[in-house]
Amino acid sequence: MHHPPPPRRRLLRTALTLALIAVGVATVPVLATAPAHAAEQGTGFGTWAPLSWTGWHGSMRVGDVHTYCIHPGLPVATGTTTDNGETSDVNGLTPQQLVSINHLVTTYGQTDDPVQAAGVGWAVKAIVDRDTTLHSWGYEGDSLREAIDGIMRRASPENSAAVQDRAERYLAEAATIRVPRVGGALLLTVDDDDPTRGTVTADVDPDATGGVHLDGAVFADTGSADRTAVTPGTSYPILASPPANSDGRPYTVRARGAFTVRAAAIRSFSTPGQQESAGPAAPVRFDLTAEDATARPVRFSPRIQTHARLEDGRFVDEVLFSSGEGVWPRRADGTFVTIRARADLYRTGAFPAESPEVPGGLQPIGHLELTTDPTRGAGTYTATTDEPLPGPGVYTAVWRIERADQDATTVPHLPGRFAWVERFATPAQTQQLVAPPPSVPSPAPTVTPAVAPPAPLTPPAASLAMTGLSPTGLAASGTVAAAALVAGVAALVVARRRGAARA
């Protein structure tokens, strides 16, 4: 059977009470306190009075808060009670004691179930001072269950076993509650091969809860810039992108996080000459920020359009550089990223068919190369073969831009394994060089022999001359018919003249 403590123990307890009160007055920091209110009977078992044969085992209500005694053996706080606010400085209680108490009074203590409230009350007192909790009512053993049973048999015997079970369970659970780490860090990473990708990780206490907001990026799995219920230590993939009004300069991703952890503190209530009690302390909030250590380069897909011509026996190509995204990236100093493009020049005997790839077995007979100007970026550039073309044929150039050809400052701006290759024999890239016609020797000039002036004609000869024939020519004919014809013509001329004279 359990009995009230003997008079000598009561004297000792009174002395201890006065000492604890003195220590409390000396160590509690000056806080802005709420107006005092009389504590009211909460949820539990026993007698609501400062001192009684059974005591009070459960909660006290101050306003709408259930509070629990933290000094076993002191009178129940039925008097005017002051709300001292949340504090982590409570008469020398350790952070582990405070976080355990706060867990119990927050998780289980705000209840109308008397068994639950009584279990919390016994567990809280045992956390603060197990020895005093066991022996304040005359029990001299070392079993919490037996100490509870000795009192609960008087206050509510039918609930004694249930209260014992709850108290033991709550104590065991409270022992697993760690003192949380307040604060931490957000960690941002950038993928080496793709600056638009990376991760964000919350390096905070494992029990912390909260969310993260991204500026300049979204979470890869949701497409949202916000994430709630972030799991501490988990790396979440992100997708970054430059601002909408970006001029191509490198950009920075920023992250903001808001987290809370269980407080290693209590909401402290005090009643002069009676108990101090613990109410739930709100979780501790802390904010974290982070940003990229190095700005992320703007990614783009450069491409070219070409138009070739032949000039002075050389192959001349007008090459227009542009960006598939419409923005040509800049470096941090404002200059444009440079792109190197190369072309192979091919010759065929006839116009080849256009195709995505160079026909197998066809070897280049020349090369062209261009690098964009850092002060210009996109635009048209001209490339010309160094030497005249080797001879007649159909010439076509095939340009390409490859990530492996770029300098170290350009590579981060290109997608991994980036390559752009022009189609073979596009009409704008195909030109024919025609062989000149063979040379023809000039004909020798014709020499005309000099003709001697005609000798004076006798009348018959003169008449013959009227025919347009010469005697020499006539004789040369060697034919009688020709002579007769000439004679007839001459006679006709003479007759016409005589007729003209008579007229």
Side-chain angles (χ1 to χ4, degrees):
M1 177 178 288
H2 301 284
H3 303 280
R8 189 172 66 127
R9 179 169 289 182
R10 279 201 297 269
L11 291 174
L12 182 60
R13 187 180 64 194
T14 302
L16 176 61
T17 298
L18 294 174
L20 287 172
I21 292 173
V23 171
V25 171
T27 58
V28 172
V30 177
L31 301 172
T33 58
H37 299 279
E40 300 176 356
Q41 179 177 336
T43 305
F45 302 102
T47 302
W48 182 249
L51 297 172
S52 66
W53 177 249
T54 61
W56 175 250
H57 305 283
S59 69
M60 296 165 286
R61 288 185 66 91
V62 181
D64 59 354
V65 178
H66 290 268
T67 74
Y68 291 83
C69 297
I70 58 174
H71 291 301
L74 294 186
V76 175
T78 59
T80 301
T81 300
T82 301
D83 182 354
N84 300 307
E86 295 180 3
T87 179
S88 58
D89 186 6
V90 185
N91 294 344
L93 295 182
T94 67
Q96 181 61 64
Q97 289 174 303
L98 290 170
V99 76
S100 296
I101 293 170
N102 190 37
H103 169 70
L104 294 183
V105 300
T106 300
T107 308
Y108 304 110
Q110 308 307 300
T111 180
D112 294 327
D113 179 351
V115 171
Q116 184 167 311
V120 171
W122 280 99
V124 167
K125 288 182 288 188
I127 290 171
V128 174
D129 185 347
R130 179 183 174 88
D131 186 66
T132 304
T133 299
L134 292 176
H135 305 131
S136 292
W137 297 91
Y139 173 69
E140 296 182 355
D142 194 36
S143 168
L144 180 62
R145 293 187 69 91
E146 292 179 1
I148 295 173
D149 185 59
I151 301 302
M152 290 303 300
R153 282 186 181 181
R154 305 174 203 168
S156 181
E158 68 276 16
N159 291 299
S160 178
V163 172
Q164 294 170 48
D165 292 340
R166 293 290 184 93
E168 285 194 327
R169 193 183 90 195
Y170 293 157
L171 270 178
E173 183 175 322
T176 67
I177 304 301
R178 300 175 306 99
V179 177
R181 173 167 62 107
V182 178
L186 291 177
L187 306 176
L188 281 167
T189 67
V190 182
D191 191 316
D192 290 338
D193 291 329
D194 186 352
T196 66
R197 296 183 178 272
T199 63
V200 61
T201 306
D203 179 17
V204 294
D205 188 87
D207 293 331
T209 59
V212 172
H213 172 77
L214 299 173
D215 290 317
V218 296
F219 289 95
D221 60 340
T222 65
S224 172
D226 295 283
R227 191 178 208 96
T228 59
V230 168
T231 301
T234 297
S235 295
Y236 294 95
I238 64 173
L239 296 175
S241 57
N245 59 351
S246 169
D247 65 352
R249 294 176 190 266
Y251 62 101
T252 298
V253 172
R254 294 175 175 84
R256 293 181 284 115
F259 296 89
T260 59
V261 292
R262 184 182 294 110
I266 61 169
R267 184 173 174 182
S268 172
F269 296 86
S270 60
T271 307
Q274 298 177 333
Q275 272 287 350
E276 289 187 64
S277 58
V284 175
R285 172 180 169 135
F286 57 92
D287 297 329
L288 301 174
T289 60
E291 65 178 46
D292 290 330
T294 303
R296 299 175 187 241
V298 173
R299 298 290 295 277
F300 79 131
S301 303
R303 56 192 62 185
I304 56 179
Q305 290 179 304
T306 54
H307 184 80
R309 69 179 187 274
L310 300 181
E311 187 175 293
D312 297 331
R314 288 176 167 81
F315 191 91
V316 180
D317 222 341
E318 300 293 335
V319 181
L320 174 62
F321 286 81
S322 64
S323 167
E325 294 74 16
V327 175
W328 195 275
R330 296 175 184 262
R331 298 188 178 97
D333 62 3
T335 60
F336 292 101
V337 169
T338 59
I339 288 294
R340 180 190 182 205
R342 295 186 296 142
D344 291 324
L345 185 63
Y346 299 92
R347 179 172 67 167
T348 54
F351 280 92
E354 183 178 353
S355 64
E357 298 179 350
V358 177
L362 193 60
Q363 298 298 317
I365 56 91
H367 304 281
L368 297 168
E369 183 174 320
L370 283 172
T371 300
T372 58
D373 186 339
T375 64
R376 291 177 55 198
T380 301
Y381 297 78
T382 302
T384 306
T385 54
D386 294 333
E387 301 294 335
L389 299 175
V394 177
Y395 291 88
T396 184
V398 177
W399 285 89
R400 64 186 179 275
I401 301 172
E402 296 178 333
R403 194 172 192 258
D405 286 341
Q406 312 307 316
D407 64 33
T409 62
T410 298
V411 167
H413 295 272
L414 299 174
R417 299 181 181 179
F418 173 83
W420 183 93
V421 181
E422 191 175 27
R423 290 173 61 87
F424 174 75
T426 58
Q429 277 295 86
T430 304
Q431 295 291 320
Q432 183 178 29
L433 180 63
V434 180
S439 60
V440 179
S442 300
T446 302
V447 179
T448 304
V451 179
L457 297 176
T458 60
S463 299
L464 185 60
M466 296 296 291
T467 68
L469 300 173
S470 66
T472 303
L474 184 60
S477 65
T479 66
V480 175
L485 177 61
V486 171
V489 171
L492 178 61
V493 171
V494 171
R496 286 181 176 177
R497 283 189 176 182
R498 286 178 179 173
R502 284 197 294 268

